[in-house]
Amino acid sequence: MKIHEYQAKELLSRYDVPVPRGSVAKTAREAGETADQISQRVVIKAQVHSGGRGKVGGIRIAETPAEAEQIARELLGTKLVTHQTGPEGLTINAVLVEEAVQAEKELYLGMLINTSAYAPMVIASEAGGMEIEEITTRNPAKILRQHFELVAGLLPYKARTLAYGVNLPTENIRPVTQVMAGMYRLFTEKDCSLVEINPLVTTTDGRLLALDAKINFDDNALSHHQDIVQLHDSSQEDPLEVEAGNTGVNYVKIGGNVGCLVNGAGLAMATMDMIKMVGGEPANFLDVGGGASEEQVAQALKILLADPNVKAAWINVFGGILRCDVVARAVVRVLEESKASVPFIVRMNGTNLQEAMRVLEESELNITFEADLVSAAEKAVAMAKLRLSKANDTSQ
Amino acid sequence: MILVNEDTRVLVQGITGREASFHTRKCLEYGTKVVAGVTPGKGSISWEKEVPVFNSVAEAKKETGANASLIFVPAPFAVDAILESADAGIKVVACITEFIPALDELKCHYYLSNQETRLIGPNCPGIISPPGKCKMGIMPSYIHRPGNVGVVSRSGTLTYEAVTQLTEQSLGQTTCVGLGGDPLPGTSFVDILKLFQADPETKAVVLIGEIGGTYEQEAADFIQKHMTKPVVAYIAGSSAPSGKRMGHAGAIISGNASKALNKITSLAAAGATVVENFGQIGLVTKKILSSRI
């Protein structure tokens, strides 16, 4: 689960990590008032679940409270499109108004679990301000890493090694190791999957501040942290993905026009790969899971069909606990109810296959059964292309 | 065969649950020696008048000689169940449970690091050795045949697809291991490749990986240095976008190394045969094995 920058900063500050003075505003007037209280130049930062906001006008300087109010008015309610959001962008429902600071040195600090080492890891770099991927590509030598064991915690000597390694002046060593200690406590107490401060800056007036922050949480641990669940903002997610989450299936919108519904995450990825391999574009990842009920499969199908880009759909199921006939009944029911004209390719194998085929054949719906994987993919892709060209013809 | 065989005596932790009951029945039907169940508080009853239930793993082991455990208990209690088995001296533990928090898995891994217990999973379909008639998991039984191909995978249904293809090509399996879809699996590709390489019955290995982590690169490194047996590999997720979790907790692209292409390149460079079309796993394995004879 992701949260907003302002929420991340509030959390960090509770763990003794210093952040700039400021507060979140949901209206332009609030933004102006906050700027007035700070009584100096401020930064107005659009709160969306994405990086790269500065490059597309989502982070702006205001010299006066009136200007702050004006900028907030321009940003609030609009959509911000960054390189991470996709073309649809994300709605700005809040802005963070903060004192503008003069940075002297910009550091990167990140904490996550290194899955190869089976240990939490702190990453530090003196090339802060750009994304970690960018630092890795441009200057891998500038990246320092230290692993920790949960039993020993964040050993101070390792934190110091990182602090000295990023060439901080002596007076900053202790404050930076304290920042790391705070990050580590937050990481372990709240089951984070990522705590990132980028940049952590030293200012011309001698302060150390977390200028930007990103925190992600382990979805599997959310049931232990009701305070974190409260921070969830579904306006930052695709509505269909939110609905899928409520239904208990895994759906990710990809953007192509060949929808697919699969049981099992690996098979669902492989199905998308196969669509791509034969020259199509998958519309979504959709894994209904191993033990889905007919109702869940039906809900999942409705979600798949709610994406207007979907021109053809491919059901690819290996029946185990989830029986083929259960999927077939759900398909028939949804297609009959919704009167959707999207053609369906069904490829199934496993438990109760014969019964499933009987249900599909009796339905007289636009469903093609295809046993071979590649042929199924090719048919789905061809049907999507055909429907797309027909739609273009009618619109001309 | 590796890890489980005809001498494996299985205890099922959480045996009285709905799903556990269903799969215990299927395991018994396959021929697995399910000798005990453990559900704290339900000791002294017997599961469906067939399998004795105990309050603790230690007691179950002492009374029945169980030497492997299959775990179905819910996520909040799963790590406790794993470690209880480890402390009781159970050598192979397969944990089916999904949704265990990563930090809990980290503690679990640390606890197990100086013990002999091999943990398969969590969030996995389990393990099956057709020649030994031992199924310790939730995979459909009928697709498997005894034979000479070892299968190791991070995905459940994709493994079933691959096994079905192998069986269609008259290629049976020695053992199929589901490592699970979590970012911190108890057992890695390398652990299993080592065992397959040392197993005289295994003539070829099918490896199914996916995006996320660097387990496949570590496997590639091992294949290059130590494997003499052919490896056929498939990596799922070439078309997956960055930063989005693809169903499995561990299947998320965060950096170049976790991308499918990077894994495919590493495995191919190490000498594995990487198939782009996963519908051809069976066919390609058949060809490689035929050319070796």
Side-chain angles (χ1 to χ4, degrees), chain A residues 116 118 133 218 241 263 273 347 350, chain B residues 102 142 157 161 185 214 237 239 255:
Chain A
S116 305
Y118 285 84
E133 277 298 309
D218 179 356
E241 290 179 18
N263 64 329
D273 296 348
R347 184 225 169 223
Chain B
Y142 72 94
T157 40
E161 285 280 355
T214 54
S239 57

Side-chain angles (χ1 to χ4, degrees), chain A residues 339-367:
Chain A
K339 305 201 165 48
S341 56
V342 172
F344 270 68
I345 306 290
V346 175
R347 184 225 169 223
M348 284 179 180
N349 205 346
T351 318
N352 287 14
L353 175 64
Q354 298 308 323
E355 173 66 7
M357 287 176 75
R358 193 188 60 78
V359 170
L360 293 175
E361 273 160 20
E362 281 175 5
S363 73
E364 294 173 2
L365 287 161
N366 189 3
I367 298 172

